[in-house]
């Protein structure tokens, strides 16, 4: 069973074996952290945390296993460090003004083309005969079914279909096919 912190505090302050072990492994431990991307100051903090955790097992392990245990602890400390940094960065506010993000709005040229196409279509619809225009607008703008249009206009469904076909053909002839 490992000693409590109170027992460690009562232990002699300078254990020659622990001192030597720390001196032998400190440089390797710092290199371990720096080689895995930790900044020098972070590496020193991570090494200190690793030493603190190792001290819990000092009396339970043979000296031969302590180095292996130290680097296992260091690996876990480093994983916790990266996990914490990733979480911390997610919580940081981000200034999106510095990013060049493509707009979902159409480019100015595409907007101009769409406006001209719409104006041409409006002119073509305006040139349709009255009954044909009314049927076309009820179908395309108000979304009525052919039966509803027939009832509203007092004509047969077949006549509605003919007016729609005529309107579509005339609009295509004057404007062309419009790709969405």
């Amino acid at each position: 069973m490992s000693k409590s912190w109170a027992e460690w505090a009562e232990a002699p302050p300078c254990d020659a074996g622990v001192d030597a072990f720390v001196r032998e492994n400190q440089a390797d431990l710092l290199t371990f952290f720096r080689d895995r991307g930790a900044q020098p100051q972070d590496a020193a903090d991570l090494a200190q945390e690793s030493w603190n955790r190792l001290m819990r097992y000092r009396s339970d392990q043979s000296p031969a296993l302590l180095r292996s245990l130290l680097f296992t602890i260091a690996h876990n400390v480093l994983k916790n460090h990266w996990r914490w940094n990733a979480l911390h960065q997610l919580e940081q506010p981000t200034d999106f003004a510095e990013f060049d993000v493509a707009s979902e709005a159409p480019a100015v040229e595409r907007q101009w083309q769409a406006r001209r196409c719409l104006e041409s279509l409006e002119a073509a619809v305006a040139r349709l005969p009255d009954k044909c225009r009314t049927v076309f607008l009820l179908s395309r703008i108000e979304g009525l079914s052919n039966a509803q249009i027939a009832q509203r206009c007092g004509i047969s469904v077949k006549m509605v279909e003919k007016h729609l076909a005529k309107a579509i053909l005339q609009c295509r002839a004057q404007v062309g096919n419009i790709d969405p």
Side-chain angles (χ1 to χ4, degrees), residues 15-136:
D15 185 348
V18 172
D19 244 9
F21 182 75
V22 170
R23 275 194 308 276
E24 290 171 10
N25 292 288
Q26 180 69 8
D28 291 340
L29 188 58
L30 290 172
T31 301
F32 172 85
F33 289 121
R34 283 192 302 260
D35 287 350
R36 285 158 181 78
Q39 297 296 320
Q41 182 59 43
D42 289 338
D45 292 342
L46 295 169
Q48 182 64 42
E49 178 62 24
S50 299
W51 288 116
N52 287 340
R53 291 184 186 186
L54 179 69
M55 294 311 272
R56 296 178 197 158
Y57 304 102
R58 180 174 77 169
S59 64
D60 295 344
Q61 302 294 323
S62 69
L65 295 177
L66 280 179
R67 180 175 167 88
S68 174
L69 180 59
L70 173 64
F71 284 93
T72 300
I73 290 170
H75 178 75
N76 291 335
V77 166
L78 186 64
K79 282 192 334 189
N80 288 343
H81 172 73
W82 291 130
R83 196 175 302 131
W84 172 253
N85 278 352
L87 180 63
H88 185 66
Q89 287 193 359
L90 285 175
E91 294 173 350
Q92 292 294 319
T94 304
D95 181 15
F96 291 105
E98 63 189 51
F99 293 106
D100 185 22
V101 180
S103 171
E104 292 183 18
V108 175
E109 180 180 320
R110 179 69 178 120
Q111 290 175 359
W112 180 78
Q113 288 174 341
R115 191 173 296 118
R116 285 185 43 107
C117 189
L118 184 58
E119 289 168 357
S120 297
L121 182 59
E122 286 174 344
V125 170
R127 286 191 288 269
L128 290 173
D130 289 339
K131 195 63 133 179
C132 190
R133 180 176 53 250
T134 302
V135 168
F136 181 77

